[in-house]
Amino acid sequence: MPELPEVETVRRGLATRVAGRSIERVWVGRERVVRRTSRDELIAGLTGTTIERADRRGKYLLLPLDSGDAVMIHLRMSGQVLLVPADTPRADHTHVVATLDGGADELRFVDPRTFGEMVVFDPERVGDVLPELARLGPDPIAEDFPRSLLRDIVMSTSRGLKPLLLDQHRIAGIGNIYADEILHAARLRPDRPANSLDSRAVTRLHRSILDVLSRAVEAGGSTLPDSRYVDLLGDGGWFQFEHRVYGRTGERCSTCGRGWIRRTVAAGRSTHFCPVCQR
């Protein structure tokens, strides 16, 4: 958390409100957030540049700069990217502040747990600076994701479907929440071997990946009681009100009306499913 829909929501805000603007100055607090390089390198790499656009791959925000470099932002567990008036008091755990052109607005990176990070890098050297970004699988929303590609992915392994969906090297951006919701929508058990899917099951899974992620993006993502996710302006999402299984252990299934949502563990993560819908 945040996952693809939440990061895409932040990206859209950046594309609308920040792309095309220049960065006048940069302040960096806790250096753990810039641990791949250094405080000085982030400041030097951002100051005086213009953010050309806002891109995303999986859970990574990517902002190309007019210098030829790009800045990567990863929210991890509790990171927030906020656009606020410069006179707004800084929240606790604000680690990076970029003052935008005119000085009236600031782009702030806030992260209580400091698992998130920012780095300015040369896109030509992405494999050296951000090797995990270079190894990401296809992004179901940002890139072409045909059914044939998913078929090849699932047929290549006997792993359970839940661990497969969480593997960022296979499919980028899906995390614990949306893996559970996708598998429920597809009527597939999370522990079912991927290569056991027949043609109809692959079609259901493909449709569910695109549908669940798209609907979650349009809803602004999911803001849970135990998470800090908000969009660029500090507003929460509301897709959590459409969750069918995630976080609903012990409740009656709202899809079939007969099963009771169970919780188990798959790939070391809490996993929620309906034993009736997902036989």
Side-chain angles (χ1 to χ4, degrees):
M1 184 70 188
E3 302 178 25
L4 185 155
E6 290 76 39
V7 180
E8 173 63 14
T9 300
V10 175
R11 184 205 69 79
R12 292 185 178 190
L14 290 167
T16 301
R17 298 175 177 273
V18 176
R21 302 185 67 176
S22 60
I23 299 173
E24 290 189 351
R25 57 185 179 275
V26 179
W27 172 89
V28 177
R30 190 168 180 183
E31 199 154 10
R32 174 174 162 80
V33 175
V34 293
R35 54 191 173 273
R36 291 197 194 239
T37 53
S38 70
R39 176 185 287 111
D40 291 341
E41 288 191 53
L42 187 79
I43 292 172
L46 289 178
T47 303
T49 65
T50 296
I51 298 171
E52 294 189 325
R53 62 181 188 275
D55 298 332
R56 180 192 56 77
R57 284 213 68 217
K59 303 175 187 179
Y60 293 78
L61 286 167
L62 302 167
L63 310 180
L65 307 171
D66 66 348
S67 63
D69 287 339
V71 57
M72 183 280 290
I73 305 173
H74 201 308
L75 304 178
R76 303 286 180 192
M77 294 294 293
S78 61
Q80 299 174 341
V81 177
L82 301 172
L83 180 67
V84 299
D87 59 359
T88 303
R90 290 183 185 176
D92 292 341
H93 312 293
T94 299
H95 302 302
V96 179
V97 176
T99 303
L100 302 180
D101 45 14
D105 296 324
E106 291 181 346
L107 194 63
R108 299 179 182 178
F109 183 73
V110 180
D111 186 7
R113 303 184 68 178
T114 65
F115 291 143
E117 58 178 324
M118 293 180 64
V119 60
V120 174
F121 69 100
D122 178 354
E124 298 294 325
R125 297 186 57 246
V126 64
D128 298 327
V129 182
L130 295 164
E132 69 274 31
L133 178 59
R135 295 195 300 266
L136 283 179
D139 184 303
I141 299 297
E143 301 168 13
D144 188 32
F145 190 70
R147 178 190 176 282
S148 58
L149 177 56
L150 178 63
R151 180 196 62 214
D152 292 343
I153 292 171
V154 300
M155 289 297 109
S156 68
T157 179
S158 61
R159 297 170 69 189
L161 287 171
K162 175 70 178 280
L164 176 64
L165 290 180
L166 294 179
D167 186 343
Q168 301 301 297
H169 298 157
R170 299 297 188 108
I171 303 173
I174 299 173
N176 207 38
I177 295 172
Y178 296 104
D180 284 356
E181 293 298 313
I182 287 166
L183 290 173
H184 179 75
R187 305 193 307 278
L188 296 169
R189 281 183 62 94
D191 57 354
R192 179 170 172 174
N195 60 5
S196 72
L197 269 58
D198 60 18
S199 178
R200 289 180 298 177
V202 172
T203 297
R204 294 201 311 272
L205 180 59
H206 181 255
R207 185 186 304 120
S208 296
I209 290 172
L210 298 180
D211 178 62
V212 169
L213 293 178
S214 296
R215 288 191 296 112
V217 169
E218 293 308 312
S222 300
T223 298
L224 305 180
D226 60 348
S227 75
R228 295 177 54 88
Y229 161 71
V230 291
D231 67 13
L232 188 71
L233 300 182
D235 297 323
W238 51 271
F239 191 70
Q240 64 273 15
F241 300 115
E242 297 189 30
H243 292 175
R244 294 300 183 100
V245 289
Y246 184 83
R248 297 189 59 210
T249 304
E251 297 181 24
R252 188 178 291 278
C253 178
S254 58
T255 300
C256 69
R258 293 180 292 133
W260 298 86
I261 305 303
R262 294 182 183 175
R263 176 189 175 277
T264 185
V265 176
R269 307 295 300 276
S270 293
T271 297
H272 309 80
F273 71 101
C274 170
V276 175
C277 293
Q278 298 167 258
R279 285 184 290 184

